Amino acid sequence: MKVARYTTYGGPETIAFDDAPVPRPLDGQVLVRVRAAPVTAGDARLRSGVVPRGLGVLMRLAIGLRRPRVAPGWAFAGEIADPGTSSFRQGQRVFGLTGFKGGAHRDWLTLPADGRLLPLRKGLSFEQGAAFFFGGLTAAEFLIDRAGLAPGERLLVCGATGAVGGAAVQIGRHLGARVAATASPANHDLARQLGATVVTDYRIGPPEGPFDVILDVMGKLGWPGARPLLAPKGRLILITADLAQMLGSALHPRRDGRRVITGTNADTLSAMQRLVDLHLAGGYTPRVGPVLPFADLARAHGLADSFHKPGNIVVVMQHDGSIPETA
Ligand SMILES: NC(=O)c1ccc[n+]([C@@H]2O[C@H](COP(=O)([O-])OP(=O)(O)OC[C@H]3O[C@@H](n4cnc5c(N)ncnc54)[C@H](OP(=O)(O)O)[C@@H]3O)[C@@H](O)[C@H]2O)c1
């Protein structure tokens, strides 16, 4: 089988493929035939080492000084090829997370049956299953758990059509908020389709406030830009934040009766299940953007590096239908 690997920190050309035997599931594990996997902003950052100011050293201490010692691929959708002793069925469609240590960018995958793995809902394609969790988990946790977005509140999503922003617009609207958005002009129609009622070009300026919650996807508005737009008791969510902004929000979250929120979201099974419930309630369906063959993984990384992608980039794996001998 084909397995992707990061060779060093750098551009998309630093991705290599190895041939490896299909893994044999251990006790308690299942074998998944991977059909599709997203190439996320997180994958691009782990590969390039390019992260917001102040976080580079911390990241390299965590995952490797000279090269990323994690495997490419944060999430996947596929089929159970060997259920082991689990209650999954052979051939059952599933989707799940390998998490930031990665490993989903390969043809076959073993993982614990009781891990971050769920049946793929009827009506979702493998591509949608692959795209499902990245932006959705982030948007749901920050809007619901951290900011406590309430029905009738006014939400501004800055950068509304990528993985996180596209999910935030849908979930915000589903929660009963009035949603305004910023996007580049080519994406204004998409932002409206996702649920925004007012859309402006972020290069010109945000829509007129006030807003109860501002979700700033790329952190470009920041506290200085958000402050005049925030209502009393308003919350600013910086999805992308540098070290100073993170420390500032931890040590000094309340400012003029408003609150600044930063951090990372938890990718737990219960959070995944909640997102599935939001989908079933009609509140969220991921938007699939470019779909490329797995062999074009480097090209997919090049697109993810831009931070201007509509929705989610997905790579699809080719299989001939048979289950090969395992290692
Ligand atoms: N805190 C966390 O736990 C967490 C979790 C996930 C992701 N993130 C971070 O969130 C960021 C976005 O991830 P993503 O997957 O959503 O990326 P993405 O799919 O590439 O989307 C980026 C979005 O930002 C917009 N944008 C680009 N430049 C902008 C600017 N100057 N001002 C306003 N908007 C701008 C883009 O709009 P146009 O395409 O219209 O230009 C696009 O909608 C990344 O930095 C990622 O590392 C953080």
Side-chain angles (χ1 to χ4, degrees):
M1 69 167 181
K2 203 194 266 282
V3 178
R5 173 167 57 89
Y6 299 130
T7 53
T8 181
Y9 291 108
E13 71 286 352
T14 60
I15 292 170
F17 288 105
D18 293 324
D19 281 323
V22 172
R24 185 187 293 277
L26 305 173
D27 263 2
Q29 288 188 328
V30 294
L31 175 67
V32 174
R33 183 200 313 249
V34 181
R35 290 289 192 177
V39 180
T40 69
D43 291 317
R45 288 201 185 282
L46 289 175
R47 187 214 74 238
S48 65
V50 177
V51 289
R53 188 177 305 170
L55 298 175
V57 173
L58 296 178
M59 184 182 115
R60 283 177 191 236
L61 286 174
I63 68 160
L65 290 178
R66 286 162 186 242
R67 69 178 172 87
R69 293 183 185 278
V70 291
W74 182 85
F76 62 89
E79 294 153 314
I80 298 287
D82 182 347
T85 55
S86 75
S87 56
F88 287 102
R89 285 175 286 102
Q90 180 153 355
Q92 186 173 2
R93 292 168 4 113
V94 290
F95 59 163
L97 304 184
T98 45
F100 98 98
K101 288 192 176 163
H105 288 163
R106 63 186 63 207
D107 291 323
W108 302 82
L109 179 67
T110 51
L111 75 167
D114 61 358
R116 291 177 290 177
L117 183 68
L118 290 170
L120 178 59
R121 314 306 305 189
K122 237 186 188 166
L124 285 176
S125 65
F126 285 126
E127 289 84 354
Q128 287 173 309
F132 195 83
F133 290 113
F134 183 75
L137 287 178
T138 305
E141 178 168 327
F142 278 95
L143 289 178
I144 300 170
D145 305 326
R146 310 263 193 114
L149 181 69
E153 286 199 311
R154 296 152 297 185
L155 167 67
L156 171 64
V157 179
C158 296
T161 55
V164 178
V169 171
Q170 294 183 63
I171 293 170
R173 170 141 178 199
H174 177 72
L175 294 173
R178 282 174 282 156
V179 185
T182 69
S184 56
N187 287 329
H188 282 199
D189 284 348
L190 174 57
R192 286 196 190 87
Q193 284 164 27
L194 292 169
T197 47
V198 182
V199 189
T200 64
D201 180 353
Y202 54 74
R203 287 168 299 191
I204 293 172
E208 209 174 303
F211 297 100
D212 301 293
V213 175
I214 298 177
L215 185 139
D216 186 359
V217 169
M218 293 305 294
K220 300 287 184 188
L221 205 56
W223 173 246
R227 184 182 177 169
L229 298 172
L230 269 179
K233 297 191 179 163
R235 289 83 82 200
L236 167 65
I237 304 166
L238 295 173
I239 296 291
T240 304
D242 62 23
L243 183 61
Q245 288 169 319
M246 284 191 165
L247 290 174
S249 73
L251 300 171
H252 181 41
R254 296 195 183 275
R255 299 174 200 178
D256 309 335
R258 301 164 175 93
R259 192 152 53 94
V260 180
I261 301 167
T262 64
T264 52
N265 62 286
D267 303 324
T268 59
L269 189 60
S270 60
M272 292 163 66
Q273 188 59 62
R274 175 174 67 180
L275 195 63
V276 171
D277 293 342
L278 273 169
H279 167 70
L280 294 176
Y284 168 66
T285 297
R287 184 170 191 284
V288 176
V291 177
L292 300 172
F294 183 33
D296 285 349
L297 183 62
R299 193 150 69 87
H301 266 261
L303 297 174
D305 277 345
S306 74
F307 296 110
H308 290 290
K309 63 183 162 58
N312 298 268
I313 301 170
V314 172
V315 289
V316 288
M317 287 69 180
Q318 301 297 323
H319 291 276
D320 65 7
S322 60
I323 299 179
E325 287 292 305
T326 52

